């Protein structure tokens, strides 16, 4: 056995390994700084192993062996951080897993505009500069019945832009029952503060009446805001002012009304056998001056914030310098246009939009799958849509005598592709509704971790 000092002396220098002929192919695959840094880390690791006194097999310090280890390390480090996973969490629109899956048409549109020049802001008919959102805007007008529409980065941005454009320096009246927080740090009072508008809270947590709004309006009022309580419900002794009533108060006093609808459906979910989510078109028809909603929730498109409303308000938003900072890129606009086009043109929306398909898919009866009771396996929709609603699903409970639910979950997370389930009542569950094709639930587990 060699002594620690001798082994340390045998550690090669970075230079020696880099100039070894066997290292040449690595430099054809990877940049020199990347290879050098990775090699330096590898040599440091070997040094630590030697110092820890655990010893090393004698051939581990030979140049060839180090280059083999280096290649493995490079390949591992070059793997993308963002990888495909299987969503067996049971939450269909899982914010941590990227929310909506795009339709085939949308994914294809993204691929096309990513690879080629496109007429993003070019009017092919007149040969002049065109409107970046023209295509999406006309589809949104058609689908919502609004006079005009705009698109920004996400719904949080849409709310910020709306507040800033309509009520900067003025008071915005909101019910205390609607001062929501959405996961990932979207909070109405904080967005309001950043928009430069002043929050004027009215009513109480559980009850707000029309007179609360009416009494709060004065010459400093810029806007009445209604916020859809997407991710919770106030139940019991509660009262809220319906949009219709709010619009009536606003009209009478000359104050515009904006609604943050959160998810905002473009089709009636009841036709899919789901509980109803407010339709954007309905809210526009009720007289909301501006309605904002997300592109990647129930709608099933890319991350985006959609704004439908009166022409004068949308124009004001488009002229706001904030709009330039919050605008969408061509990839998003391409995906959104393709998605909206399906809503207008497709004969079979459910087949085309994966999110809608996932909600409406009947739970399967799979052989070999133990069926949970509907209640135990009921899935939530997620991302602040229909918070109290669960739709039936089928789950597979995975247990082994030897492992805790947490340990089983970890094994599945290490699979290729990683499988994300959920733990309920101390059991690890794979949910079939959010996972799409049940075939995708059979992952390649690392060999020594096949516990089942
Ligand atoms: C989800 C949600 C938001 C935030 O939307 P993002 O698209 O995630 O930015 C804002 N308001 C409500 C009511 C929501 O449900």
């Amino acid at each position: 056995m060699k002594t620690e000092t001798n082994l340390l002396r045998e550690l090669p220098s970075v230079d020696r390994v880099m100039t070894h002929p066997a290292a040449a192919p690595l430099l054809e695959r990877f940049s020199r700084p990347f290879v050098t840094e990775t090699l330096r880390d590898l040599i440091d690791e070997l040094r630590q192993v030697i110092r820890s006194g655990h010893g090393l097999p004698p051939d581990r310090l030979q140049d060839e062996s180090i280059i083999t280890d280096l290649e493995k390390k490079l390949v591992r480090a070059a793997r993308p951080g963002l990888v495909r996973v299987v969503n067996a969490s049971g939450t269909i629109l899982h914010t941590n897993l990227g929310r909506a899956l795009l339709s085939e048409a949308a994914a294809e549109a993204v691929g096309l505009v990513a690879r080629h020049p496109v007429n993003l802001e070019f009017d092919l008919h007149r040969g002049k500069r065109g409107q970046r959102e023209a295509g999406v805007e006309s589809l949104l007008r058609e689908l919502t019945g609004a006079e005009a529409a705009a698109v920004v980065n996400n719904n949080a941005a849409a709310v910020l832009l709306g507040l800033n454009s309509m009520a900067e320096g003025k008071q915005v009246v909101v019910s205390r029952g609607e001062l929501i927080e959405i996961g990932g740090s979207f909070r109405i009072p904080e967005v309001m503060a950043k928009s430069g508008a002043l929050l004027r809270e009215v009513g109480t947590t559980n009850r707000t009446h029309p007179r609360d709004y009416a009494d709060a309006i004065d010459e400093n009022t810029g806007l009445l805001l209604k916020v859809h309580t997407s991710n919770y419900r106030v139940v019991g002794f509660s009262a809220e002012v319906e949009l219709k009533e709010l619009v009536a108060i606003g009209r009478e006093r000359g104050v515009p009304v904006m609604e943050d609808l959160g998810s905002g459906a473009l089709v009636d979910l009841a036709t899919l056998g789901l509980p109803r989510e407010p339709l954007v078109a309905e809210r526009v028809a009720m007289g909301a001056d501006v309605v904002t909603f997300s592109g990647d929730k129930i709608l099933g498109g890319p991350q985006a914030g959609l704004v439908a409303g009166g022409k004068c308000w949308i124009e004001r938003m488009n002229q706001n310098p904030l709009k330039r900072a919050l605008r969408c890129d061509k990839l998003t606009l391409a995906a959104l246009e393709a998605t909206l086009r399906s809503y207008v043109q497709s004969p079979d929306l459910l087949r085309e939009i994966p999110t809608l398909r996932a909600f409406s898919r009947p739970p399967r009866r799979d052989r070999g799958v133990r069926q949970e009771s509907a209640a135990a396996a009921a899935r939530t929709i997620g991302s602040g849509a229909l918070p109290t609603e669960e739709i039936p699903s089928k789950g597979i409970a995975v247990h082994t005598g030897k492992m805790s639910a947490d340990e089983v979950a970890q094994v599945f997370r290490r699979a290729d592709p990683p499988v994300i389930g959920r733990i309920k009542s101390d059991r690890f569950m794979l949910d079939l509704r959010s996972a799409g094709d049940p075939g995708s639930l059979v992952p390649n587990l690392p060999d020594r971790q096949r516990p089942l």
Side-chain angles (χ1 to χ4, degrees):
M1 193 67 189
K2 293 193 176 162
T3 66
E4 191 180 311
T5 323
N6 282 343
L7 279 172
L8 283 175
R9 220 171 271 147
E10 276 180 37
L11 269 177
S13 70
V14 169
D15 268 356
R16 194 175 93 200
V17 179
M18 291 295 282
T19 51
H20 193 286
L26 294 183
L27 289 164
E28 278 173 25
R29 285 167 66 192
F30 302 107
S31 78
R32 182 171 290 273
F34 178 49
V35 176
T36 314
E37 266 316 299
T38 310
L39 175 59
R40 202 164 274 143
D41 289 347
L42 177 63
I43 292 174
D44 279 347
E45 282 162 24
L46 289 168
R47 185 175 296 121
Q48 274 165 28
V49 174
I50 296 169
R51 289 213 174 112
S52 72
H54 289 318
L56 272 179
D59 56 359
R60 273 294 294 279
L61 294 181
Q62 284 169 9
D63 292 354
E64 287 79 3
S65 165
I66 288 196
I67 288 167
T68 307
D69 286 350
L70 175 61
E71 181 180 4
K72 281 190 204 144
K73 203 171 166 62
L74 286 166
V75 168
R76 228 181 300 133
R79 274 207 288 253
L82 205 54
V83 296
R84 177 192 168 178
V85 303
V86 174
N87 175 8
S89 69
T91 301
I92 295 168
L93 292 168
H94 200 307
T95 299
N96 303 150
L97 303 181
R99 289 195 189 160
L101 308 182
L102 295 183
S103 66
E104 277 306 311
E108 224 170 79
V110 170
L112 187 86
V113 305
R115 293 189 178 90
H116 303 283
V118 287
N119 58 332
L120 181 65
E121 286 183 10
F122 188 77
D123 184 329
L124 289 172
H125 184 61
R126 297 185 306 151
K128 286 198 213 158
R129 188 182 163 160
Q131 287 278 319
R132 151 184 289 260
E133 290 164 20
V136 164
E137 199 207 358
S138 67
L139 289 163
L140 275 173
R141 281 205 321 255
E142 186 166 351
L143 287 161
T144 65
E147 274 175 13
V151 191
V152 285
N153 189 44
N154 53 27
N155 187 33
V159 174
L160 178 70
L161 179 65
L163 292 173
N164 180 265
S165 307
M166 300 173 83
E168 188 178 17
K170 296 198 172 156
Q171 293 201 340
V172 177
V173 187
V174 195
S175 159
R176 288 196 169 88
E178 296 175 6
L179 293 176
I180 58 156
E181 171 178 321
I182 300 284
S185 71
F186 175 89
R187 294 171 129 193
I188 290 290
E190 288 166 15
V191 175
M192 185 85 68
K194 286 291 176 197
S195 76
L198 308 165
L199 175 61
R200 175 79 164 85
E201 305 173 29
V202 297
T204 61
T205 306
N206 58 330
R207 289 173 74 82
T208 302
H209 306 284
R211 64 166 188 279
D212 294 325
Y213 288 93
D215 290 350
I217 296 176
D218 60 24
E219 68 282 3
N220 296 320
T221 308
L223 184 69
L224 304 180
L225 175 67
K226 184 153 185 69
V227 184
H228 187 54
T229 55
S230 304
N231 54 357
Y232 71 100
R233 292 271 185 270
V234 179
V235 294
F237 185 58
S238 65
E240 70 171 303
V241 177
E242 292 300 332
L243 180 64
K244 264 192 196 139
E245 296 170 86
L246 207 55
V247 167
I249 297 168
R251 292 265 157 88
E252 193 189 317
R253 309 287 294 272
V255 182
V257 175
M258 173 163 115
E259 180 166 45
D260 170 13
L261 209 46
S263 212
L266 292 180
V267 292
D268 187 353
L269 299 181
T271 62
L272 310 180
L274 282 173
R276 246 172 143 267
E277 178 86 345
L279 275 166
V280 179
E282 222 171 54
R283 312 308 273 185
V284 169
M286 278 180 198
D289 294 280
V290 166
V291 178
T292 74
F293 54 107
S294 290
D296 57 353
K297 291 185 180 171
I298 292 270
L299 196 150
Q303 180 190 300
L306 312 180
V307 190
K311 206 168 182 151
C312 66
W313 301 116
I314 300 293
E315 253 164 33
R316 221 192 252 202
M317 291 184 210
N318 282 332
Q319 283 156 11
N320 187 332
L322 256 186
K323 173 75 193 309
R324 176 63 178 75
L326 302 173
R327 79 179 185 190
C328 293
D329 72 330
K330 61 179 179 174
L331 304 182
T332 302
L333 289 172
L336 186 59
E337 186 189 325
T339 309
L340 296 175
R341 206 167 275 290
S342 292
Y343 274 93
V344 173
Q345 297 169 356
S346 167
D348 189 353
L349 198 53
L350 285 188
R351 209 188 53 215
E352 278 190 35
I353 309 284
T355 303
L356 298 180
R357 190 163 66 227
F359 288 138
S360 58
R361 186 187 296 128
R364 299 174 52 116
R365 201 172 258 281
D366 292 290
R367 266 192 303 151
V369 171
R370 189 177 129 204
Q371 289 179 23
E372 300 292 315
S373 75
R379 292 309 58 242
T380 52
I381 288 169
S383 286
L386 305 172
T388 53
E389 302 301 340
E390 294 199 324
I391 47 183
S393 185
K394 290 287 188 291
I396 309 172
V398 181
H399 11 204
T400 83
K402 298 192 198 90
M403 296 170 102
S404 69
D406 278 330
E407 286 166 335
V408 177
Q410 192 185 52
V411 168
F412 275 84
R413 283 201 309 276
R414 288 191 186 149
D416 177 23
V419 175
I420 315 299
R422 80 201 159 97
I423 293 173
K424 190 168 182 183
S425 322
D426 245 4
R427 278 193 312 178
F428 178 71
M429 307 267 301
L430 297 172
D431 188 281
L432 297 182
R433 184 181 284 270
S434 64
D437 169 20
S440 68
L441 277 177
V442 184
N444 291 317
L445 293 174
D447 264 353
R448 291 191 22 251
Q449 294 185 336
R450 238 172 245 282
L452 307 178

